[in-house]
């Protein structure tokens, strides 16, 4: 019986590789040989501090792409040797949340998540295979294909803000893929929900993906704010018109005098309660503050009542993704509307996962691409 490695959090703070037999796919399932898995802040947090919905002890890694090794009975869309990309969760379409179209709040999402992509192989469950596994276009590098999951989360945020008004529903079986592949004949301003100016706070992976989406949607004024020069340089490369070094709220006056405050939309991507509280002060009257960077479960934040009441600033959150967001993320990646390669700081063998996390904790790098194959040379 052949064996495989899989990164496993035994308890908070303890990450090891365990050896397991390579699983066999059951009906509707796919066994995928991992080509590339990306580091993600969620994995790092789960390992160091635990996570509200992800299990510890448990396997880690969820942003990945690979090659089909074996298919279960009844799988007709994929064959061994196919390069594939996927999102690790998919809704049940039967619970109360799903009945309301709130697929990102499906009761079963995290009970049935396909974690464990820091590994040689991963078994993708039937409901994920049916909804969120796609053929990887040949021209798309594996590490960019692995960005589909975080990109889908970003698109969920933009959809909440009013962008992508044409994308509803969301099952690739029900024809969404075809609809999403249709030419974008909507007015570009409508496609971006009328958002002309956007201020993105934070230049880590999430902030940078927001910059890339704003650019793909043609926003005429994209401003990124952050502390790290390397992140700001990347923001410029990904399409930010302005990249301002500093921390919110200290930098707010500088943004105001440069004419970069009063944005239609402010997107908070730091997960810092002080930045959450300050974000509404940087939108225009009637604007929206999207609080994207998650805080710990018990956090409470106080906001300026004047901004919310008299100035009609809308506060919004965004969580995870729906099938429509996954389909749109796949389309944007496949069509090459965004050049996201710059987000990948470097390629490392899978066995260096812990070292990659340590680099990220020191503020070095955005995302690392881990490759099982690189260990075999
Ligand atoms: Zn992630
Ligand atoms: Zn459900």
């Amino acid at each position: 019986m052949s064996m495989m490695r899989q990164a496993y959090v035994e308890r908070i703070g303890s990450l090891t590789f365990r050896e397991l037999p390579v699983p066999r796919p059951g009906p509707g399932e796919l066994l995928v040989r991992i080509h590339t898995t990306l580091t993600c802040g969620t994995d790092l947090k789960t390992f160091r501090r635990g996570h509200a919905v992800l299990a510890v002890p448990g396997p880690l890694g969820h942003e990945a792409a690979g090659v089909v090794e074996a298919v279960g009975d009844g799988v007709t869309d994929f064959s061994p040797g196919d390069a594939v990309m996927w999102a690790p969760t998919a809704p049940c379409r039967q619970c109360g949340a799903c009945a309301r179209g709130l697929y990102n709040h499906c009761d079963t999402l995290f009970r049935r998540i396909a974690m464990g992509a820091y590994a040689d192989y991963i078994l993708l469950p039937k409901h994920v295979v049916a909804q969120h596994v796609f053929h990887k276009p040949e021209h798309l590098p594996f590490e960019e294909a692995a960005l589909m999951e975080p990109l889908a989360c970003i698109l969920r945020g933009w959809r909440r803000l009013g962008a992508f008004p044409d994308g509803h529903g969301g099952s690739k079986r029900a024809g969404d893929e075809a609809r999403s592949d249709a030419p974008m004949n909507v007015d570009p301003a409508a496609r971006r929900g009328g958002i002309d100016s956007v201020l993105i706070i934070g230049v880590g992976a999430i902030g940078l993906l927001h910059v890339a989406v704003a650019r793909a949607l043609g926003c005429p004024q994209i401003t990124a704010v952050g502390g790290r020069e390397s992140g700001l340089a990347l923001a410029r490369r990904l399409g930010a018109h302005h990249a301002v070094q500093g921390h919110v709220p200290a930098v707010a006056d500088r943004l105001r005098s440069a004419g970069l405050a009063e944005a239609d939309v402010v997107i908070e991507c730091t997960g810092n309660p002080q930045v959450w509280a300050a974000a509404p002060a940087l939108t225009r009257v009637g604007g929206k503050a999207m609080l994207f960077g998650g805080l710990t479960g018990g956090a409470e934040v106080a906001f300026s009542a004047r901004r919310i009441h008299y100035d009609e600033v809308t506060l919004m959150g965004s969580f995870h993704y729906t099938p429509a967001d996954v389909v749109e993320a796949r389309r944007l990646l496949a069509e090459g509307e965004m050049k996201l390669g710059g987000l990948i700081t470097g390629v490392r063998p899978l066995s260096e996962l812990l070292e990659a996390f340590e680099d990220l904790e020191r503020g070095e790098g955005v995302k690392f691409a881990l490759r099982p194959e690189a260990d075999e040379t």
Side-chain angles (χ1 to χ4, degrees):
M1 183 182 285
S2 54
M3 302 293 282
M4 59 172 262
R5 298 166 295 168
Q6 182 192 61
Y8 194 78
V9 182
E10 289 178 308
R11 57 183 182 280
I12 290 173
S14 166
L15 180 68
T16 55
F17 281 97
R18 60 177 183 175
E19 294 273 323
L20 300 170
V22 176
R24 284 224 217 130
E29 296 178 339
L30 277 186
L31 178 68
V32 176
R33 181 161 44 82
I34 297 287
H35 182 286
T36 298
T37 303
L38 301 180
T39 57
C40 166
T42 302
D43 294 330
L44 180 52
K45 251 190 272 179
T46 303
F47 154 47
R48 289 293 191 204
R49 284 179 256 158
H51 194 281
V53 293
L54 300 175
V56 173
L60 213 57
H62 62 279
E63 299 177 8
V67 176
V68 174
E69 181 78 8
V71 306
D73 283 347
V75 174
T76 52
D77 296 347
F78 303 98
S79 314
D82 289 353
V84 289
M85 51 210 269
W86 64 91
T89 67
C92 74
R93 296 180 182 268
Q94 289 172 348
C95 69
C98 283
R100 291 185 188 86
L102 297 170
Y103 299 116
N104 54 325
H105 297 285
C106 169
D107 290 349
T108 69
L109 276 190
F110 295 96
R111 258 187 278 140
R112 302 196 298 164
I113 185 170
M115 287 297 268
Y118 298 125
D120 294 307
Y121 295 91
I122 191 168
L123 192 65
L124 298 178
K126 185 177 177 179
H127 69 293
V128 168
V129 174
Q131 299 180 67
H132 285 166
V133 183
F134 302 88
H135 289 273
K136 183 188 79 62
E138 220 172 312
H139 62 85
L140 186 68
F142 279 93
E143 62 273 17
E144 290 182 44
L147 287 167
M148 185 173 72
E149 190 265 353
L151 182 58
C153 297
I154 304 298
L155 296 180
R156 167 70 186 166
W158 281 82
R159 210 183 286 281
R160 295 265 292 143
L161 291 165
F164 305 107
D166 53 333
H168 287 291
S171 150
K172 68 175 181 171
R173 287 274 162 84
D176 250 58
E177 195 164 13
R179 180 155 66 232
S180 175
D181 283 340
M184 279 289 164
N185 50 11
V186 254
D187 164 44
R191 194 178 168 226
R192 62 173 185 266
I195 300 165
D196 288 334
S197 54
V198 57
L199 175 65
I200 294 158
I201 309 172
V203 290
I206 293 297
L208 292 169
L209 281 169
H210 275 293
V211 168
V213 169
R215 186 58 176 235
L217 287 169
C219 286
Q221 185 188 295
I222 305 165
T223 305
V225 185
R228 275 164 50 201
E229 183 47 54
S230 57
L232 293 165
L234 259 173
R236 272 186 221 103
R237 267 174 62 196
L238 289 167
H241 304 98
H242 308 275
V244 178
Q245 190 160 31
H247 294 284
V248 172
V251 77
D253 285 341
R254 222 160 14 104
L255 291 169
R256 262 183 219 105
S257 53
L260 300 173
E262 305 201 11
D264 293 333
V265 162
V266 173
I267 305 178
E268 193 289 332
C269 307
T270 70
N272 176 331
Q274 275 142 10
V275 183
W276 273 49
L282 295 167
T283 74
R284 66 163 164 79
V285 164
K288 293 172 182 167
M290 165 64 70
L291 305 165
F292 200 90
L295 305 181
T296 54
E300 294 193 2
V301 179
F303 293 100
S304 152
R306 178 201 161 91
R307 283 260 74 194
I308 293 159
H309 181 85
Y310 295 100
D311 295 342
E312 295 187 329
V313 171
T314 303
L315 302 182
M316 311 179 89
S318 180
F319 176 68
H320 208 59
Y321 50 79
T322 67
D325 303 317
V326 177
V327 168
E328 186 68 23
R330 191 209 63 87
R331 193 190 67 77
L332 286 167
L333 289 170
E335 293 186 0
E337 287 200 33
M338 291 178 290
K339 297 275 171 259
L340 298 176
L343 292 176
I344 313 301
T345 307
V347 176
R348 308 178 80 146
L350 176 62
S351 57
E352 288 181 18
L353 174 62
L354 191 57
E355 289 86 341
F357 278 156
E358 286 166 355
D359 283 356
L360 293 172
E361 286 174 313
R362 278 194 297 270
E364 291 165 21
V366 180
K367 276 183 178 290
F368 288 96
L370 292 149
R371 296 220 168 123
E373 243 180 43
D375 279 315
E376 284 156 25
T377 52

